[in-house]
Amino acid sequence: MGNIKIIGGVFDTKLELEHASVAAGFPSPADDYRHDTLDFNRDFIRHPEASFYANVEGDSMKDAYLFDGDKVIIDRAVEPHQGSIVVAWWNGGFTMKFLDLTHRAEGYIELKPANEKYPVFKVDNPDDFEIWGVVIHQIRTFESV
């Protein structure tokens, strides 16, 4: 099971963006008049009081393009559904996996990794299990500054 480090966030920073899009063709004359801001509250966080950052550790979700060192934004107010990437408290620790509800009528659910090297977790005891939140965004750093 991979480790997840939950980090509280302050979602009140606006970043000025001179050019919010990257043109793949000829520049638009309208670009000279554009001045947007990137506001994490407005653009990424629907429920600030229920949102957290987490550091991804390990490679169990690599085939979902979630890599060791990435950060994710988790929203505890979002209702998980079939196929959601969830952060769950299970077996004494946090884990991040796909939620599989297809076996619910049989009395269990599954937490599925996105790496065939890892086992699928069959969860049939709700006493040691809680879906802690749903991963809604990913943040990846390409270069350290």
Side-chain angles (χ1 to χ4, degrees):
M1 182 161 44
N3 294 320
I4 304 293
K5 180 181 177 189
I6 306 298
I7 307 166
V10 178
F11 301 102
D12 62 0
T13 303
K14 294 182 182 181
L15 304 174
E16 298 292 328
L17 298 176
E18 286 297 321
H19 297 282
S21 61
V22 178
F26 294 104
S28 167
D31 284 345
D32 292 339
Y33 301 99
R34 182 190 310 188
H35 189 73
D36 291 334
T37 60
L38 175 63
D39 180 337
F40 278 87
N41 281 332
R42 179 192 68 214
D43 299 335
F44 297 106
I45 308 299
R46 287 186 292 181
H47 308 106
E49 68 288 346
S51 295
F52 296 85
Y53 292 109
N55 291 322
V56 177
E57 295 180 359
D59 64 349
S60 71
M61 294 299 287
K62 73 175 185 71
D63 294 338
Y65 305 102
L66 291 163
F67 299 109
D68 188 75
D70 288 352
K71 288 191 183 341
V72 291
I73 299 174
I74 303 160
D75 192 331
R76 296 195 71 189
V78 171
E79 186 72 27
H81 57 81
Q82 170 64 28
S84 290
I85 298 175
V86 298
V87 172
W89 179 260
W90 184 68
N91 224 12
F94 285 111
T95 188
M96 182 180 0
K97 302 286 183 275
F98 283 111
L99 179 63
D100 183 349
L101 301 172
T102 59
H103 301 283
R104 197 178 241 177
E106 299 162 51
Y108 69 95
I109 64 170
E110 292 181 333
L111 298 174
K112 293 187 170 183
N115 182 338
E116 63 184 26
K117 292 186 339 185
Y118 291 88
V120 172
F121 298 142
K122 180 179 178 180
V123 180
D124 54 8
N125 180 3
D127 293 336
D128 192 28
F129 174 76
E130 176 187 358
I131 295 177
W132 198 81
V134 177
V135 175
I136 57 167
H137 294 289
Q138 169 189 26
I139 302 167
R140 176 170 302 139
T141 301
F142 291 101
E143 290 190 36
S144 297
V145 289

